[in-house]
């Protein structure tokens, strides 16, 4: 059974993080261009974004981008090495 949510009038399956990213980015673009309020319905409650909480929307996009990359088998974190030289 699919976990369908509605983001700005578009049904998206939560089990497909890349599709969620695309829908959230469209919502971000609308808000950035002055589109007003964007709403998403998660089963029994609704979340709305405005320009005032655009940073939370961007955090959610980043989270789903990581999930999308993981679903595609891409690495999102890399080890860094540090060496002191005298």
């Amino acid at each position: 059974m699919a976990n369908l949510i509605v983001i700005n009038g578009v049904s998206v399956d939560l089990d497909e993080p890349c599709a969620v990213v695309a829908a959230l980015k469209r919502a971000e673009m609308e808000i950035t261009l002055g589109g007003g309020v964007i709403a998403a319905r998660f089963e029994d409650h609704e979340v709305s974004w405005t320009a005032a909480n655009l940073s939370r929307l961007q955090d959610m996009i980043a989270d789903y981008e990581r999930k999308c990359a993981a679903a595609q088998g891409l690495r999102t974190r890399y080890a860094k090495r540090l060496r002191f030289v005298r």
Side-chain angles (χ1 to χ4, degrees), residues 21 24-25 28 57-66:
V21 168
L24 290 175
K25 283 188 175 186
E28 178 189 30
L57 176 58
Q58 290 168 340
D59 292 342
M60 187 177 234
I61 290 171
D63 181 45
Y64 274 96
E65 282 177 335
R66 283 189 297 277

Side-chain angles (χ1 to χ4, degrees), residues 24-84:
L24 290 175
K25 283 188 175 186
R26 280 191 297 274
E28 178 189 30
M29 184 64 71
E30 276 195 40
I31 290 172
T32 303
L33 296 175
V37 177
I38 303 298
R41 182 172 300 279
F42 295 90
E43 294 176 5
D44 61 342
H45 64 284
E46 186 170 312
V47 179
S48 298
W49 290 282
T50 63
N53 63 2
L54 185 59
S55 64
R56 290 204 51 198
L57 176 58
Q58 290 168 340
D59 292 342
M60 187 177 234
I61 290 171
D63 181 45
Y64 274 96
E65 282 177 335
R66 283 189 297 277
K67 290 178 182 179
C68 177
Q72 294 175 344
L74 302 174
R75 290 178 54 184
T76 57
R77 297 183 57 175
Y78 297 90
K80 293 184 179 180
R81 296 171 79 172
L82 181 66
R83 189 175 116 191
F84 293 100

